[in-house]
Amino acid sequence: MRVLLLTDADVAIRERSLLERLAVGIADEGARVAMASPRAVSSAESPTLIQHFGFDPPAPLLGARHQAENFRDSLHEAGFITDASSLDIIHVFGSNVTELALALGGIERCGVVVESASRAMNQDAHRIMRSIRRRSAPGPLVWTTPSADLRDELAALAPETECRHIPWGVHTASAKESGDSNDDPLGVVMLVNRRLGAVGAAILEGISEAARAIDREIIVICDDAVARQDHRFWRTAKKLDMLSRVSLVSSLEARRDPVLNADLFISACAPGEHRSMVLDAMGHAVAIVSLDDPMIDWNHAGETGQVVRQSTPGAWAAAIQPLLRDDAERHSLGERARAWARANRAASGHVRLTLQLYDWIAARAEGTKVEGQ
C-alpha cells in the first residue's frame, strides 16, 4: 500500500509531531509512506522510513488538476509511484490542500481521507461535497474527525459525507519525579488561537492575579502570532508590568520542548479545534488548564487538567493559582493526565484505526477501478 500524507503549510508546521508519529506507525506495518507539504515549509529531516516531497502552493489561475498532474509527475520521477504501482490513499491535513488532494485522487483513482480537526473545517465539508458533484468524483472519499462530537456535527452539516471518528494518539513518557526547587521560576506555556486575542489577554490577567498570591517568579511563554494578531495582548502585558516575564516564540507548536518542560500548560483554541500539543503535554505529565469546549473529548476536569468554563481573568486565576502554589497538586494532576492519555490516546490506537480505514478504502477503490476498466 502506498500512502501520501498531504498537508498545508499551517498543519505542516504545528502538527509535525503528530504527522510523523502516524507516518512511522503506518510504515512500520508495511505500507510505503510519503509526506508532502508546501515547499516553503517542507522538511528534509523526516524519519528514515518516510519520503518527503515539497510542492508549490496552489495557484488559482492554473487550477487544482494542473497542479495535481505536475505533482503526480514529481512522485513518479522520485519512484514513489510507478505505472504499475499507483497511490492507494491520500490523507489530507489542512483545508488549503483539499482541492489538490481531490484532483490527485481523481487522476490516480485512489481513496482520499480528509481530516477535519475543527468546526471551521466541518463548515467546509458541504462546500467541498457540492464542488465534487459538479465534476468527476475521485475514488472513495472519507472524512475523519478526532472527536465523536465533531463527527456528529459534520454528518449533520453534510449528510452525504462518509464520516469516521478516529482519535489522535500520543506516546506517553515514563512517570517523572518532582525536581522543583522553591527557588526556581515557574514556567507557564500558553497555546492560544491567534484570533482569540481577548482570551489571551484574559489569561495574562489571570496569571498575574495568581502570581500575586504566591512568592514565586513566573515566566510566560507564548507564540508570537498571538501578540502580532491582537494588540490587546501586548497592551495587557504592559499594563500588568509583565513585559519582562513574557517570552514570545515563533511557531511555538513546531517546538515541543517548551511545553514538555513547562510547569503549567494553558490551552485556549477555537471551537472544536484540536491541537496535538495538548496531547503531548498530557503524555509528558504536564499540568494543563484549558478553556472548556464540548467538542474536545479529552477535556476532563480534574483528570486530564482543569477546565475554565468562561474566559474571564477571575476564572483563569481561580484555576491557575492552586496549581502554581501547590507543587504536589500540580504534579499529581500531570500524572493523572499522563495515565489517561496512556489508557485512552495511545499512538498505536491512532495507527491501528487509521490502517483499518485505509484497508477498507483501498478495497472499495480497487472495486471502482475494476468497474471502470
Side-chain angles (χ1 to χ4, degrees), residues 321-335:
Q321 183 178 317
L323 297 174
L324 294 182
R325 173 184 286 136
D326 189 336
D327 291 350
E329 173 54 26
R330 189 172 64 251
H331 289 295
S332 176
L333 181 62
E335 286 299 331

Side-chain angles (χ1 to χ4, degrees), residues 40-310:
V41 298
S42 62
S43 170
E45 300 176 1
S46 296
T48 305
L49 296 173
I50 313 301
Q51 286 182 263
H52 204 292
F53 297 92
F55 59 87
D56 294 322
L61 294 179
L62 293 179
R65 184 172 181 86
H66 179 81
Q67 186 185 19
E69 289 171 344
N70 290 340
F71 186 43
R72 183 189 183 280
D73 290 342
S74 298
L75 297 176
H76 199 283
E77 290 170 5
F80 183 69
I81 58 175
T82 66
D83 292 337
S85 300
S86 60
L87 279 173
D88 296 292
I89 300 288
I90 303 170
H91 196 155
V92 191
F93 295 82
S95 57
N96 293 328
V97 291
T98 303
E99 293 291 342
L100 171 61
L102 295 174
L104 183 58
I107 295 169
E108 287 287 287
R109 296 172 66 187
C110 68
V112 177
V113 178
V114 183
E115 192 89 15
S116 181
S118 68
R119 298 191 73 182
M121 278 206 70
N122 276 356
Q123 294 291 336
D124 286 340
H126 180 64
R127 174 187 60 79
I128 291 171
M129 296 303 294
R130 187 173 61 227
S131 174
I132 290 173
R133 289 197 294 270
R134 291 200 301 264
R135 62 177 188 268
S136 58
L141 171 61
V142 178
W143 294 74
T144 61
T145 67
S147 80
D149 284 339
L150 272 181
R151 176 203 57 199
D152 294 344
E153 181 189 69
L154 177 55
L157 287 169
E160 67 273 35
T161 59
E162 180 85 38
C163 308
R164 299 292 180 90
H165 168 218
I166 298 184
W168 290 352
V170 67
H171 296 304
T172 52
S174 301
K176 64 180 183 181
E177 297 180 4
S178 173
D180 289 349
S181 163
N182 288 335
D183 296 328
D184 293 333
L186 290 169
V188 178
V189 174
M190 292 172 51
L191 174 63
V192 181
N193 184 288
R194 61 179 178 268
R195 295 180 179 85
L196 300 180
V199 174
I203 293 172
L204 273 185
E205 290 194 56
I207 293 173
S208 177
E209 183 178 332
R212 288 195 297 269
I214 64 173
D215 189 21
R216 293 281 290 275
E217 182 182 358
I218 296 175
I219 304 298
V220 179
I221 299 174
C222 185
D223 195 301
D224 67 354
V226 178
R228 290 200 313 268
Q229 192 80 14
D230 197 303
H231 67 278
R232 284 171 291 189
F233 186 87
W234 270 130
R235 189 172 64 194
T236 301
K238 184 176 181 179
K239 179 187 73 174
L240 298 171
D241 195 25
M242 292 184 67
L243 291 177
S244 63
R245 289 175 284 156
V246 175
S247 177
L248 298 182
V249 177
S250 177
S251 301
L252 174 63
E253 288 174 275
R255 302 168 172 85
R256 297 297 190 194
D257 284 351
V259 71
L260 301 187
N261 293 295
D263 294 292
L264 183 65
F265 178 54
I266 301 175
S267 171
C269 297
E273 183 181 33
H274 286 65
R275 299 289 185 99
S276 67
M277 181 179 264
V278 182
L279 280 179
D280 282 323
M282 287 185 194
H284 284 74
V286 178
I288 299 171
V289 177
S290 296
L291 183 63
D292 188 32
D293 187 340
M295 291 281 180
I296 306 295
D297 60 8
W298 58 52
N299 280 349
H300 299 284
E303 185 176 12
T304 61
Q306 297 299 348
V307 177
V308 171
R309 307 297 178 188
Q310 288 187 310

